[in-house]
Amino acid sequence: MILELDCGNSFIKWRVLESQCSTIRAEGVVGSDIALIDSLIALPGLLLTRCRLVSVRALEETDKLVDALVAAFGVVVSCAVSAREVAGVRNGYEDFERLGLDRWLAMLGGYKLAPGACLVLDFGTAATADFVAADGEHLGGFICPGMPLMRNQLRTHTRKIRYDDVAAERALERLSPGHTTAEAVERGCMLMLRGFVLTQLELARSYWGDDFTIFLTGGDAELVADAVPHARLVPDLVFVGLAMACPLS
């Protein structure tokens, strides 16, 4: 069995694949290394043979997780690294090692699923947009705060903004002007996120007309999916790229 990990700033997304057919046997999202190990140990009949991961965390944090996986399961761990070019996609950063690995792998995944020009929009702690031309050239991208960062900044730096997650979820049931602080904040942040999306679409059309594929990925991708109904929602896009960057055969 193969363990795949996407270690983000806030959560670790994991899944276990059957080695022969690559079908997903189990998957989940956890908030810590300990929770990950516990979730895996709880799986009946788990027999890991290989592991690959992508991490945007500090090197020390990633090394600590790798050590824990080796100690718990005796598995060799392959970590995705930056590259100038993989599978026809060319890294567009001046210093290619500075491009976030999650963004890089999402681009690889998008270009594999739909060879040709594509716009990759990823919505996690941060919201990112990356433009890949039909010939695989990465034209660059944008980064802005995602919903968690926008929400938490307002909660942290504005004393009178206080509400819980239940109120936040309820507030997003519609996008009319808010009549409570929770509604005003949540809907305002949502409209900012949608504005980010629409701006990226406008720029992509200036490059390629209508001849490009839009990919939505990340934990909050569904929040903007109805704003771009023709986009492809691929929650595991990073894992598609991970398999390309860390082949285990």
Side-chain angles (χ1 to χ4, degrees):
M1 299 175 188
I2 300 171
L3 173 63
E4 295 185 328
L5 302 174
D6 177 5
C7 306
N9 292 296
S10 303
F11 300 100
I12 300 173
K13 187 174 183 179
W14 63 270
R15 67 182 191 178
V16 174
L17 308 179
E18 296 289 353
S19 299
Q20 300 302 320
C21 55
S22 295
T23 57
I24 300 173
R25 181 178 180 192
E27 59 186 338
V29 179
V30 294
S32 69
D33 296 0
I34 294 175
L36 172 64
I37 300 297
D38 289 345
S39 296
L40 293 172
I41 290 175
L43 293 176
L46 181 70
L47 183 59
L48 296 179
T49 56
R50 292 170 290 179
C51 173
R52 56 189 168 209
L53 69 79
V54 55
S55 175
V56 298
R57 301 181 172 192
L59 180 60
E60 295 78 9
E61 291 181 88
T62 303
D63 287 344
K64 182 180 177 182
L65 173 58
V66 170
D67 290 343
L69 292 168
V70 172
F73 305 106
V75 66
V76 176
V77 181
S78 299
C79 299
V81 296
S82 300
R84 291 192 182 277
E85 181 174 350
V86 172
V89 180
R90 297 183 297 281
N91 193 315
Y93 261 31
E94 294 178 3
D95 180 356
F96 74 92
E97 294 180 330
R98 299 289 294 175
L99 176 64
L101 282 171
D102 52 346
R103 292 170 59 196
W104 175 237
L105 296 187
M107 285 189 284
L108 295 181
Y111 196 73
K112 176 180 175 62
L113 295 179
C118 59
L119 169 61
V120 180
L121 299 170
D122 193 339
F123 300 94
T125 302
T128 65
D130 283 289
F131 299 77
V132 181
D135 65 356
E137 184 71 26
H138 174 218
L139 303 181
F142 297 95
I143 305 172
C144 76
M147 281 292 286
L149 280 179
M150 287 192 283
R151 176 188 297 127
N152 291 338
Q153 283 296 303
L154 284 170
R155 285 180 175 178
T156 300
H157 296 289
T158 308
R159 292 184 178 181
K160 292 187 177 180
I161 294 182
R162 296 289 185 271
Y163 56 90
D164 58 24
D165 292 340
V166 173
E169 184 175 350
R170 188 181 303 120
L172 290 176
E173 292 175 354
R174 60 182 61 87
L175 287 179
S176 56
H179 293 277
T180 66
T181 298
E183 291 177 352
V185 169
E186 292 295 316
R187 296 173 188 178
C189 291
M190 172 62 74
L191 290 175
M192 289 189 70
L193 204 61
R194 290 182 174 222
F196 175 78
V197 171
L198 296 177
T199 301
Q200 307 315 307
L201 292 178
E202 182 179 343
L203 182 56
R205 291 190 183 104
S206 74
Y207 287 150
W208 306 310
D210 292 323
D211 190 17
F212 65 98
T213 303
I214 306 162
F215 288 97
L216 301 180
T217 191
D220 284 333
E222 291 187 358
L223 294 178
V224 299
D226 63 337
V228 274
H230 52 299
R232 294 182 60 174
L233 180 61
V234 186
D236 293 332
L237 191 59
V238 167
F239 283 141
V240 177
L242 179 61
M244 300 166 65
C246 296
L248 298 177
S249 57

